[in-house]
């Protein structure tokens, strides 16, 4: 689904939004580039981030990994700068820089002294439309991303397992592809593939500039207009159009065996709603549900029941991240003690879920979690980069500045009844993927999958 990233009133004059603890100003350049300024005058530093509303889930069919590949190639030079000169210049000016790729975005950032911000914008504007590529730089960099996949995925049974599980979760949506790409498709990526993807998606009207730190909105606007303003918008930029998931009517099960597995475990992931603009309450309740069930390795329901009271698990967890353009997942994990089978661990997991659905939220645990979440929102503001990151992820996932600033209050308004209702809607096995990660020498009796996932030989 496609959503407007910033409210319509931000498309006109600059607007300072109230209500949030941080002072945030948003405006849009004439070419469609959106700008968000987060003021923090405690230290003379600034974080400069450019986010593109394109990620791994937006890649052309058969070209998985191209978004991440292009992220690497963006450091390979322009007509004005040689390969590697961008990062070298940042370092010479006492700063640091990097980049990252997600399913819904690609981002680039520099952390520098505030008086170097103008130079950072000038360099980012240069590579937004001026990237030059030759096979001499493209082909060696393709080897780099293939080696990155070898290190992070091929050499990790857990990563391979998670990759297969994610593919099983999404029948039709592109979230089923790994961000780094499928190896056989990465091997065929070319210079022309990178240029085509770059020209289609890297343009000011598909980008968000986020500046956080010791800055004034007026000065940031002047710099943005000077460097990014002259860049032409891409008139052919198409709205994001992604295949939707069909109704899921049957649970999916898979097992993955590998001799390198140190300790087997079972996971269960459910399709779950993401944070939507103006409607973040369900996602907020799921944040609490994840925290209550498995957010702490000592005090959560799974940990207290299986790790400490019954001593049948070495480790338990549950996790949920609602910052996603489309439906995301809610995942639980149980790692049983040696000698206990994964079938027994799955039964333990089901028993704890059933107990929660029957007994509801523990009021004391809920109060402690609410306090931790409130503290976490306060600590989040101590990191300029973390603050800018939270806005960038939200805006490229379909939310707007007002949604980001409303989120802490929405979290604090969640009630135990909200969490119980969200759990009742979430825990539908027809929308779940259950996975077993096993050692090759595991005893027989591993589950017979309802759908066998072949084991095929990120940033």
């Amino acid at each position: 689904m496609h959503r407007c990233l910033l409210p319509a009133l931000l498309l006109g004059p600059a607007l300072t939004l109230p209500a949030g603890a941080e002072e945030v100003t948003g405006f849009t350049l004439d070419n469609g580039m959106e700008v968000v300024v987060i003021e923090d005058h405690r230290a003379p530093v600034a974080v400069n981030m450019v986010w593109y509303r394109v990620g791994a889930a937006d890649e052309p069919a058969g070209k998985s990994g191209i978004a991440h590949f292009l992220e690497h190639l963006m450091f390979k030079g322009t007509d004005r700068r040689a390969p590697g000169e961008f990062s070298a210049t940042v370092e010479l000016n006492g700063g640091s820089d990097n980049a990252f790729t997600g399913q819904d975005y690609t981002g680039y950032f520099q952390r520098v002294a505030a008086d170097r911000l103008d130079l950072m914008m000038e360099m980012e504007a240069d590579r937004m439309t001026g990237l030059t590529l030759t096979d001499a730089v493209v082909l060696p960099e393709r080897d780099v991303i293939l080696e990155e996949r070898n290190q992070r995925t091929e050499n990790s049974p857990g990563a391979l397992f998670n990759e297969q599980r994610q593919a099983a979760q999404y029948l039709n949506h592109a979230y089923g592809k790994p961000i780094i790409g499928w190896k056989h498709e990465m091997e065929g990526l070319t210079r022309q593939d990178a240029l085509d993807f770059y020209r289609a998606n890297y343009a000011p009207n598909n980008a968000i500039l986020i500046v956080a730190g010791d800055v004034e909105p007026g000065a940031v606007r002047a710099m943005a207009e000077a460097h990014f303003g002259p860049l032409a918008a891409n008139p052919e930029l198409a709205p994001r159009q992604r295949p939707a998931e069909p109704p899921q009517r049957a649970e999916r099960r898979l097992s993955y065996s590998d001799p390198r597995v140190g300790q087997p475990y079972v996971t269960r992931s459910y399709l779950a709603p993401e944070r939507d603009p103006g409607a973040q309450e369900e996602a907020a309740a799921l944040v609490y549900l994840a925290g209550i069930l498995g957010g702490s390795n000592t005090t959560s329901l799974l940990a207290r029941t299986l790790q400490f009271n019954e001593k049948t698990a070495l480790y338990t967890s549950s996790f949920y991240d609602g910052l996603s353009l489309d439906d995301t997942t809610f995942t639980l994990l149980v790692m049983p003690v040696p000698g206990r089978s994964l079938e027994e661990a799955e039964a333990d997991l089901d028993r704890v879920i059933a107990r929660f659905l029957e007994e509801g939220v523990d009021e004391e645990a809920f109060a402690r979690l609410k306090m931790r979440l409130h503290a976490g929102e306060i600590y989040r503001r101590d990191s300029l980069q973390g603050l800018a990151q939270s806005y960038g992820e939200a805006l490229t996932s379909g939310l707007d500045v007002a949604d980001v600033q409303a989120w802490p209050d929405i979290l604090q308004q969640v009630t135990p009844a909200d969490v119980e209702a969200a759990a009742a809607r979430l825990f539908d096995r027809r929308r779940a993927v259950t996975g077993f990660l096993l050692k090759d020498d595991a005893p027989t009796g591993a589950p017979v999958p309802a759908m066998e996932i072949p084991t095929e030989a990120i940033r």
Side-chain angles (χ1 to χ4, degrees):
M1 71 191 90
H2 175 66
R3 306 189 190 94
C4 180
L5 289 179
L6 292 177
L9 67 167
L10 283 187
L11 300 180
L15 171 72
T16 300
L17 294 168
E22 54 269 358
E23 191 76 11
V24 180
T25 302
F27 54 88
T28 303
L29 303 183
D30 290 342
N31 58 15
M33 186 173 187
E34 296 165 8
V35 184
V36 174
V37 183
I38 307 168
E39 294 183 67
D40 186 327
H41 301 287
R42 291 176 296 177
V45 297
V47 172
N48 185 65
M49 306 187 87
V50 174
W51 295 72
Y52 293 93
R53 295 189 292 263
V54 62
D58 303 297
E59 296 167 333
K63 304 295 181 182
S64 65
I66 190 64
H68 173 250
F69 189 25
L70 179 59
E71 175 218 308
H72 279 236
L73 294 174
M74 284 289 284
F75 294 87
K76 297 304 178 182
T78 66
D79 289 333
R80 299 175 58 190
R81 289 183 173 84
E85 185 177 343
F86 189 108
S87 293
T89 302
V90 175
E91 185 175 359
L92 283 172
N93 282 270
S96 59
D97 73 319
N98 214 323
F100 45 86
T101 303
Q103 291 285 12
D104 300 312
Y105 53 75
T106 310
Y108 304 83
F109 71 88
Q110 305 85 43
R111 181 181 176 91
V112 293
D115 62 2
R116 299 295 189 270
L117 182 60
D118 187 76
L119 175 60
M120 299 302 108
M121 285 199 202
E122 186 271 318
M123 293 197 300
E124 282 288 14
D126 178 37
R127 68 176 175 180
M128 178 176 284
T129 58
L131 182 67
T132 59
L133 297 176
T134 65
D135 281 344
V137 298
V138 170
L139 298 182
E141 199 63 32
R142 187 177 64 189
D143 292 337
V144 170
I145 63 168
L146 284 166
E147 179 56 28
E148 186 176 346
R149 179 179 167 90
N150 283 337
Q151 292 179 2
R152 295 192 176 191
T153 306
E154 304 294 339
N155 289 331
S156 169
L160 288 169
F161 170 64
N162 286 333
E163 188 175 78
Q164 295 296 312
R165 184 171 55 83
Q166 187 78 357
Q169 188 82 60
Y170 293 95
L171 288 178
N172 199 40
H173 195 284
Y175 286 167
K177 298 184 302 181
I179 293 172
I180 200 167
W182 298 114
K183 185 176 182 180
H184 67 286
E185 292 185 348
M186 295 168 65
E187 291 170 336
L189 295 177
T190 67
R191 168 183 171 273
Q192 193 60 51
D193 292 331
L195 287 173
D196 289 346
F197 193 74
Y198 174 69
R199 290 165 181 162
N201 297 290
Y202 279 51
N205 53 325
N206 202 35
I208 304 168
L209 171 66
I210 298 180
V211 178
D214 189 21
V215 295
E216 300 292 341
V220 172
R221 182 165 199 155
M223 286 183 273
E225 289 178 339
H227 299 302
F228 294 104
L231 302 181
N234 179 2
E236 299 179 357
L237 184 69
R240 283 175 160 176
Q241 294 181 343
R242 295 173 173 177
E245 276 294 290
Q248 297 198 1
R249 299 186 173 94
E251 180 187 6
R252 297 152 204 176
R253 301 179 66 86
L254 67 137
S255 61
Y256 177 74
S257 298
D258 193 302
R260 300 169 297 177
V261 171
Q263 182 62 45
Y265 58 83
V266 59
T267 65
R268 170 92 49 71
S269 55
Y270 297 81
L271 272 185
E274 75 280 13
R275 288 167 60 182
D276 283 326
Q280 302 182 84
E281 289 76 13
E282 183 83 354
L286 291 175
V287 169
Y288 277 85
L289 181 63
I292 289 167
L293 290 179
S296 166
N297 203 34
T298 55
T299 61
S300 66
L301 182 58
L302 281 167
R304 284 188 288 109
T305 304
L306 303 182
Q307 293 176 233
F308 297 103
N309 294 344
E310 300 178 6
K311 302 188 186 318
T312 56
L314 295 175
Y315 175 76
T316 60
S317 184
S318 62
F319 34 95
Y320 164 80
D321 183 359
L323 281 177
S324 174
L325 188 63
D326 300 313
D327 279 353
T328 184
T329 56
F330 184 106
T331 304
L332 304 107
L333 183 152
V334 175
M335 180 182 290
V337 296
R340 191 167 182 80
S341 72
L342 294 188
E343 293 89 347
E344 292 173 311
E346 182 184 7
D348 292 339
L349 173 63
D350 286 332
R351 179 165 44 82
V352 173
I353 292 174
R355 172 185 162 189
F356 176 82
L357 292 173
E358 180 181 353
E359 298 179 359
V361 172
D362 178 279
E363 297 281 351
E364 291 185 4
F366 181 84
R368 289 195 300 268
L369 179 57
K370 178 170 281 194
M371 184 75 70
R372 287 204 304 271
L373 290 172
H374 180 62
E377 287 297 318
I378 295 173
Y379 296 145
R380 176 181 65 91
R381 300 186 186 103
D382 285 339
S383 167
L384 275 183
Q385 189 166 321
L387 194 56
Q389 185 90 14
S390 66
Y391 275 86
E393 288 184 3
L395 298 181
T396 51
S397 299
L399 303 175
D400 59 35
V401 172
D403 290 317
V404 179
Q405 294 199 317
W407 180 244
D409 286 340
I410 290 173
L411 282 175
Q412 290 302 302
Q413 292 165 10
V414 172
T415 67
D418 294 332
V419 179
E420 292 162 3
R425 289 186 289 268
L426 175 73
F427 291 131
D428 181 347
R429 291 282 287 269
R430 294 170 298 180
R431 294 164 56 84
V433 173
T434 302
F436 283 18
L437 178 62
L438 302 137
K439 286 185 69 69
D440 266 346
D441 57 358
T444 58
V448 178
M451 181 180 75
E452 190 66 45
I453 304 296
T455 52
E456 301 177 48
I458 178 180
R459 259 179 357 191

